[in-house]
Amino acid sequence: MSNEENQQRDKMLQKEISPEVAQGTYANLAMIAHSTSEVIIDFVCMMPGLPKANVKSRIVMAPEHAKRLLYALQDNISKYEHTFGEIDLHNGGPRTAAPFKINKGEA
């Protein structure tokens, strides 16, 4: 489906969003799992110094929808970087450790 077709489809799709959902939920980590029939994405908020990370939202979708999401994210990241410059991932790869450096004994 072309970008123009996507834009036309979005204009025709009437969406309703509650004020609570429109406000959004912050997450700084996504954990992804899958089975033969679904992809599960947990959006997590990790806070420095806390031993637990809270799952803020879980999305379950069919693998086909996950692949469409992948393509949509790639397209949007490309547009973002074209406008604002390349996103720096520090080491150039996925992070496997906590995103915070915690210095014990400091406030």
Side-chain angles (χ1 to χ4, degrees), residues 14-79:
Q14 294 203 359
K15 298 173 270 194
E16 189 172 314
I17 187 166
S18 69
E20 295 82 21
V21 173
Q23 195 171 27
T25 300
Y26 179 76
N28 54 14
L29 175 68
M31 300 181 76
I32 304 169
H34 66 276
S35 69
T36 57
S37 59
E38 57 199 15
V39 174
I40 300 107
I41 307 172
D42 285 338
F43 292 94
V44 179
C45 183
M46 292 181 55
M47 299 305 286
L50 297 180
K52 286 187 179 180
N54 293 322
V55 175
K56 297 296 185 175
S57 182
R58 171 173 280 182
I59 304 297
V60 181
M61 63 180 70
E64 297 83 2
H65 295 306
K67 193 165 188 176
R68 288 184 185 100
L69 175 62
L70 169 68
Y71 291 150
L73 284 170
Q74 286 175 328
D75 181 52
N76 277 271
I77 293 295
S78 176
K79 290 174 182 173

Side-chain angles (χ1 to χ4, degrees), residues 82-97:
H82 178 69
T83 302
F84 301 107
E86 186 174 347
I87 298 168
D88 181 13
L89 293 179
H90 303 294
N91 294 325
R95 294 188 127 163
T96 55

